Amino acid sequence: MLKIYRSNCTHLYELTFQTLEKGAWINLINPNAEELEQVAAATGTPLDFLKAALDEEERSRTELDENHILVITNIPIMRGNDIYDALPLSIILTPEYIITVCLETNEVLADFNPENPRAFSTFKKTRFLFQILYKSATLYLKYLKQINRRTDEIERYLRRSMQNEEIFQLLELQKGLTYFAASLRSNGIVLEKLLRLRSTSQVQHLIKIYEEDEDLLEDVIIENKQAIEMVEMYSHILNGMMDTFTSIISNNLNRVMKFLASMTIILAIPTMVSSFMGMNVDVPFGVNGGFVYTLLFAALVTALSAFGLWRKGMF
């Protein structure tokens, strides 16, 4: 999908390649080869810059040439209940345009739409870049809070019932936190490099950082560091919870096995007594009242064995 927008502080209107203006935002979502070639021809952007974010495993990084800055950041994605992932988003700054490329429609860019035109300006490329990065950082925090709440819910379920489904849900959350941790660390490196670019004369014609932009970038860095700390804390909590419930499940299994072993011993006693007493030879009480005496003897031995096992905590 290819969309071209241009804002004028009060409205965001859509353009085409025939009406392309300076300060436009070109947004590519899972583009095909034809769309990539059109954008490359219209803006002079190298194709390898445009294709960089189309690799799901692409790491966050920055790359410079004479007329372009490529910023790749990993943004959070929620694919379903308890399923979180990170996806590369590339932001390319040229002397006249800002270009974004991503494999999927995402919540980071969703807020930058015609219904919210006053929140951003496409012709202020540097600020728009930092606003996208800020939205990504705040979205990480939002998803992390959701993961924390979901973890608490699953914990309450597990206290009442040890089901495999809840364990698998915790595993999915743990996997999402792992993806988030790796993405946030690499994003932090990109943000620090962008902060250093303010004193680089090579890119002054591409990225102009004013005081307000610098404050916004520092806010992004703070939010990113906070998200990293939250990921680490929630990961430790989740790991501890997984270990605890694994120990509880193992302990419950041991208790069940102890109970079954005790019941096996108890049930074996009457069988053993009746086997001895039922032999075709002379045994005590074998003539008068033998069945009653055998029954009472088996019951007595069984009761004594059960009491002994109970004293040893086998029940």
Side-chain angles (χ1 to χ4, degrees):
M1 182 183 71
L2 170 63
K3 294 287 184 180
I4 305 174
Y5 299 102
R6 174 70 161 80
S7 63
N8 58 3
C9 297
T10 58
H11 295 86
L12 183 71
Y13 50 94
E14 193 169 344
L15 302 175
T16 64
F17 283 112
Q18 288 72 31
T19 59
L20 189 62
E21 299 178 10
K22 182 178 180 180
W25 166 33
I26 302 174
N27 184 29
L28 292 163
I29 302 295
N30 194 20
N32 54 41
E34 182 182 354
E35 291 172 337
L36 291 173
E37 291 174 359
Q38 286 179 333
V39 173
T43 63
T45 305
L47 273 176
D48 58 334
F49 276 26
L50 294 172
K51 293 180 179 179
L54 301 182
D55 179 8
E56 291 184 356
E57 304 301 325
E58 189 71 35
R59 302 285 294 179
S60 299
R61 60 185 173 88
T62 59
E63 192 171 335
L64 310 175
D65 69 6
E66 293 183 0
N67 294 311
H68 303 87
I69 297 178
L70 170 65
V71 178
I72 299 180
T73 182
N74 280 287
I75 60 174
I77 295 289
M78 185 176 181
R79 301 192 183 279
N81 291 334
D82 306 327
I83 303 176
Y84 296 87
D85 200 354
L87 195 68
L89 167 69
S90 67
I91 308 165
I92 305 168
L93 300 183
T94 74
E96 297 184 346
Y97 313 107
I98 181 169
I99 306 169
T100 55
V101 186
C102 191
L103 275 172
E104 300 177 16
T105 303
N106 55 82
E107 195 173 341
V108 172
L109 298 178
D111 282 351
F112 304 103
N113 56 60
E115 297 178 359
N116 193 25
R118 296 180 182 273
F120 66 102
S121 299
T122 60
F123 56 87
K124 297 180 179 179
K125 300 188 298 295
T126 302
R127 185 171 303 177
F128 189 25
L129 164 65
F130 295 160
Q131 285 176 322
I132 294 174
L133 296 176
Y134 184 80
K135 175 63 178 178
S136 175
T138 55
L139 196 58
Y140 272 112
L141 294 175
K142 174 185 173 182
Y143 285 161
L144 286 171
K145 291 176 183 177
Q146 290 180 2
I147 290 175
N148 187 44
R149 288 196 297 269
R150 183 61 180 146
T151 301
D152 292 340
E153 292 176 3
I154 295 175
E155 180 183 1
R156 288 194 291 270
Y157 290 140
L158 285 173
R159 287 180 182 273
R160 299 193 301 267
S161 174
M162 294 291 174
Q163 299 294 331
N164 288 338
E165 183 180 353
E166 281 76 20
I167 301 296
F168 288 137
Q169 289 173 351
L170 286 178
L171 184 62
E172 288 291 345
L173 294 177
Q174 191 175 40
K175 190 187 301 182
L177 287 176
T178 302
Y179 293 148
F180 281 8
S183 299
L184 285 166
R185 290 192 186 97
S186 58
N187 286 353
I189 297 173
V190 170
L191 294 173
E192 295 293 343
K193 188 170 183 179
L194 287 175
L195 189 61
R196 293 195 299 269
L197 285 178
R198 59 185 174 179
S199 57
T200 305
S201 58
Q202 178 186 357
V203 296
Q204 288 299 316
H205 64 295
L206 295 173
I207 181 169
K208 298 179 181 179
I209 301 180
Y210 299 99
E211 186 176 351
E212 293 181 357
D213 301 331
E214 188 172 333
D215 292 340
L216 180 58
L217 179 57
E218 290 176 354
D219 290 340
V220 177
I221 294 174
I222 292 172
E223 295 290 314
N224 192 79
K225 289 181 178 179
Q226 182 181 351
I228 291 174
E229 293 174 358
M230 290 178 64
V231 164
E232 292 176 350
M233 180 177 65
Y234 293 159
S235 294
H236 290 319
I237 292 173
L238 195 55
N239 288 334
M241 187 183 304
M242 292 281 286
D243 292 341
T244 299
F245 283 116
T246 300
S247 300
I248 292 174
I249 292 172
S250 178
N251 183 60
N252 290 343
L253 178 61
N254 290 336
R255 291 175 61 185
V256 171
M257 295 303 296
K258 284 169 60 179
F259 176 78
L260 292 176
S262 301
M263 291 301 298
T264 301
I265 293 172
I266 292 172
L267 293 175
I269 292 173
T271 303
M272 183 176 62
V273 172
S274 61
S275 298
F276 278 118
M277 292 303 205
M279 292 182 180
N280 193 22
V281 294
D282 291 336
V283 294
F285 317 113
V287 179
N288 298 320
F291 175 75
V292 176
Y293 289 125
T294 301
L295 187 63
L296 292 175
F297 179 72
L300 177 62
V301 175
T302 300
L304 291 174
S305 301
F307 179 74
L309 292 172
W310 175 74
R311 290 291 301 273
K312 291 181 177 296
M314 298 296 288
F315 289 108

